[in-house]
Structures are given as structure tokens and as C-alpha cells.
Amino acid sequence: MSTAHSSLLLRGVGTLVTCDPTLGEGPLGLVRDAAVLCRGERIVYAGPQAGLPTVEGAEPLTLDLDGHMVMPGLVDCHTHLVFAGDRLDDFQARLEGDSYAAIASRGGGILSTVRATRAASDELLVDLCEGRAERLVAHGVTTVEVKSGYGLDPRQELRLLEVIRTASQRCIAELVPTFLGAHTLPVEARRSDEARRAYVDSVVDDMLPAVADRGLARFCDVFVEEGAFTLEEGRRVLMAARELGLGLKVHADQMTQTGAAGLAAELGAVSAEHLEYASDEDLQAMARAGTVAVLLPGAAFFLRDQPPAAARFRAAGVRMAIATDFNPGSSPSAHLPLMAQLAVLQGGVTLDEAILGITAHAAQALDLHGDRGTVGAGMRADLALFRARDPRELLYEIGANHCTGVVKSGRYHRVDAARTSRIRVGARG
Ligand code: NIG
Ligand code: FE
């Protein structure tokens, strides 16, 4: 069910988790017995129900939450939703002792997904991307960053960004597009140093200007890693992107220490992701630059690698967000609260940090913190509704889904938790 209405009132909210400590109790800004009033796409009141102002004009659409919990719509700030095929063979090979890097170097890994994605029609890719975004929505997610990166030539990379744009128009969540033409070197670029240089040239000289010109991406990301791009290649791509007005993100220090976290800080990137092997100096540089650390515990879990250690990020004073990294090779999961739970149980993230990591801090990793990620007057009316009384419940029962609905830009959509793979988008005005 989806409803378009100029005003929406949520009353009977047992626990409102504003994620803004100035708006309520404790680090999560909790308000008990609360109400939230939305007008159009914005929140006009969020606070104690007793303080709700009289609503002028037409009666708002009113939902009585019967004591349930309301949070900001969750933000998944790092995903790779646009791909075809699967990586079941890689999965089995890894379980039998192969490494992710070894599989990649013999043409499996990302390259096998590139082959399947290039061969898929636009319609199929839109459908797959939309379906995956719907599964995220079923967990309370209303904003999703989505990267290209399984096309790896100018025509295919632009096509994948167009797919993200089309899927975003069709699904409840807003998809925030990131250009990841420098995800790995395509087969064609592995034949010689010259071919390699030509690929980086084409990212910088062909793809980036076209992406910027057509407004197809808000961010540019690079995978700096052994077997992918060097620090110097990453610097070149990111500097060109910055010049064109794109925000920067970096897949940094995931499997080896490359210094990419330091590069992210130096170039003023909004975020650096993974970071399992980042040095303390680079984490401190990120803290000084205001670059958010995006923890992707699903990837470390699925690759059976070391989990990102919160104590190091905390000691460096860097802000932590948590994301799914939804992708076929290293993190096939749309369960954002489960990722937060893994960050707590395996990475030592506190319960409060985990909740902020999928709301306020995740919004900051997309440079959207003035607009969403907290619940307060003036913010976008993006909310997640949970059958729970305490935010810790989201991080407690393994694999549970307590979400009953979301509000996206002021519109309510019921989530059928029993059918998380498919939810229906109703009439859109
Ligand atoms: O974030 N690190 C690079 N990219 C993805 C993996 C993509 C894949 O294996 O298909 C990641 O883990
Ligand atoms: Fe990733």
C-alpha cells in the first residue's frame, strides 16, 4: 500500500529514535510517546505527542503506531546493485580453499560478473536493480548509494548509470549513483602496460566527462588494491573527478595496505570504505579531513577476512558508517541491520554507534546529512517503522526483520515483512 497525501501524522509512537542527541535523550536522541508530523516531503514536527501543534487545514492522513518505534529511514551508503548472474562457482571455490584474489586473477571474480552484466538487457538490469533495492526497503532503507563498475567500457558504464537512474524512478528508495569505472581492469586492459594505461586514460578522458556532462553520478569511486588500481592511478582518476565537480569515495585498504585511506583524506573524499588494513596515521588523517569510514562487515564475514576493528577507528576519532556492500562476490546481502549487528558482534562497534552508522553517519557518507539520517523539523520525511520498543532490538535477534513500513519523502508504504523479496509500489502521483 502506498499513499500520497499532503500531510501525514504518525501518532502513538512508543519510541522515536531521532538519531540527533540534541532532540532527545542519550546519543540516539530518544523521545518516548512521540508524534511525527510531515507536510509534503518534509517533517514539520517531531517530538512528544503532548507537544504536537494543532494541524491547520485538511485533516492529515493519520497512522496510529500503537507503541511501535520510528527511526530515520535507513541509509545504505555503499552498494553494487547493478549486475547480472551470480558467483556460486567462486563461492564454492573459496570454500574449497581458493582465495578471492586467486579467483580474480584467473578471470573469475569481478570479471565474470562483468561478462554476465555486459550480456544482459537494460530491462533485465533495471528489474534486478529495482528488486534488490526493494529488498533493502523491506528492512527500512529509504536511500541507497549504487555504484556502476561491472561494465568497464565507456558505453557499458554509462548504460549502468542510466539503469540506476531508471530503477530509482521506479522504486521507493532513492538511489544515489556513483561512477566506479575504475573497479578493476577489464580483460582487454590486462594484455600490456600500454593497454592498462589506455584504460585509465579512457576512464579519465572519455567516461568521467560524459558522466559529469549527463549528470549521471553524484560520486566517483576507485578500487585501489593489488590486482585492481594503484594508488597513483587512483589519484589520477579521483583528481579528474573532483575537477568535474563529483564527490569522492574510495575502496581503500580492503585486503592489503595501499595508503588509499590517506589519499581519500588528502583529496577531501566524503568517505573511504572497507579499511581493514588502513594505517593508524591514515585513519587520523581521515578524522582531520572529516572523511567518514564506511565499515562493510558483510564483506569481511563472507570472505572470512578480518572484521573492521572499531577500536582503531574510535581511537583515531574518525566517524563510522556501516553499509551492506551488496554485491555478488563479497557481500551478497540486502540486510542492513544484520550488517550493523556484525559490526557490533565482530568489530566491537557499540550499539549506539551501530544505529548511527546506518542512519546519521551513513547520510554523512553521502553528503546528505543536512537532509536526512535524523528525524527533526525541516528534515526530509524519510522514516522507518519497526515493530519494536527499543533500538537495540534491531541488533539483537539474528537475521530478524522488524520493519513494518517506511515513509519516503512524506509517503507511507507498508512493508510486508513476510514477503521481503517483493513489495509493491502503489500509485505514485
Ligand atoms: O566492495 N572491492 C571491490 N568491490 C566489491 C566486490 C565486488 C565483487 O566481488 O564483485 C567490494 O567488496
Ligand atoms: Fe564495494
Side-chain angles (χ1 to χ4, degrees), residues 78 80 87 100 110 150 183 223 251 254 274 299 325 327-330:
H78 179 141
H80 307 250
R87 296 265 281 282
Y100 181 88
I110 295 174
Y150 292 113
H183 193 189
F223 184 24
H251 277 72
Q254 178 185 5
H274 287 290
D325 194 15
N327 77 75
S330 70

Side-chain angles (χ1 to χ4, degrees), residues 26-293:
L28 299 182
L30 302 184
V31 183
R32 309 283 172 190
D33 302 317
V36 181
L37 178 63
C38 312
R39 189 165 302 129
E41 296 191 341
R42 296 278 149 193
I43 295 167
V44 292
Y45 177 81
Q49 188 161 304
L52 184 68
T54 3
V55 184
E56 310 273 320
E59 184 78 4
L61 173 70
T62 301
L63 297 177
D64 193 326
L65 293 210
D66 199 23
H68 289 184
M69 182 172 87
V70 171
M71 287 185 46
L74 306 185
V75 176
D76 191 352
C77 63
H78 179 141
T79 80
H80 307 250
L81 296 191
V82 194
F83 62 87
D86 61 52
R87 296 265 281 282
L88 288 170
D89 293 341
D90 289 9
F91 178 48
Q92 184 169 357
R94 278 198 305 103
L95 294 174
E96 290 168 359
D98 257 345
S99 72
Y100 181 88
I103 293 167
S105 69
R106 60 165 193 260
I110 295 174
L111 288 181
S112 70
T113 301
V114 169
R115 287 191 291 277
T117 306
R118 285 180 176 176
S121 68
D122 295 357
E123 294 68 33
L124 177 62
L125 290 173
V126 170
D127 205 42
L128 290 169
C129 178
E130 187 192 347
R132 291 168 188 143
E134 284 180 345
R135 287 162 59 196
L136 284 162
V137 172
H139 289 287
V141 176
T142 52
T143 302
V144 187
E145 186 259 12
V146 185
K147 301 172 199 297
S148 67
Y150 292 113
L152 306 186
D153 72 31
R155 192 178 64 79
Q156 290 281 351
E157 281 296 311
L158 292 176
R159 180 172 88 106
L160 299 189
L161 291 169
E162 298 277 8
V163 163
I164 297 168
R165 179 178 278 180
T166 307
S168 186
Q169 286 157 0
R170 293 197 194 162
C171 63
I172 292 168
E174 178 184 342
L175 309 185
V176 178
T178 293
F179 169 63
L180 180 58
H183 193 189
T184 194
L185 288 153
V187 171
E188 314 83 84
R190 294 178 183 225
R191 295 191 185 114
S192 63
D193 287 351
E194 213 168 48
R196 180 184 184 108
R197 215 165 318 121
Y199 184 72
V200 179
D201 286 348
S202 108
V203 171
V204 170
D205 299 331
D206 305 333
M207 300 189 214
L208 268 173
V211 167
D213 196 45
R214 298 196 214 162
L216 281 172
R218 195 154 333 150
F219 298 100
C220 174
D221 192 346
V222 178
F223 184 24
V224 176
E225 190 55 72
E226 274 175 22
F229 294 89
T230 66
L231 195 63
E232 280 321 305
E233 289 166 338
R235 178 191 300 277
R236 204 182 143 208
V237 171
L238 293 168
M239 284 179 70
R242 191 172 63 173
E243 199 63 30
L244 290 164
L246 294 175
L248 308 182
K249 295 180 150 287
V250 188
H251 277 72
D253 305 294
Q254 178 185 5
M255 293 161 195
T256 57
Q257 191 173 104
T258 62
L263 177 67
E266 180 196 324
L267 298 181
V270 287
S271 65
E273 350 270 302
H274 287 290
L275 300 166
E276 283 83 349
Y277 292 88
S279 71
D280 289 337
E281 296 69 44
D282 285 352
L283 293 181
Q284 285 154 13
M286 283 175 57
R288 286 193 298 276
T291 300
V292 178

Side-chain angles (χ1 to χ4, degrees), residues 1-3 61 63 172 406 412-415 424-427:
M1 179 182 122
S2 162
T3 41
L61 173 70
L63 297 177
I172 292 168
V406 296
Y412 170 68
H413 306 266
R414 187 170 66 85
V415 163
R424 296 266 54 95
V425 183

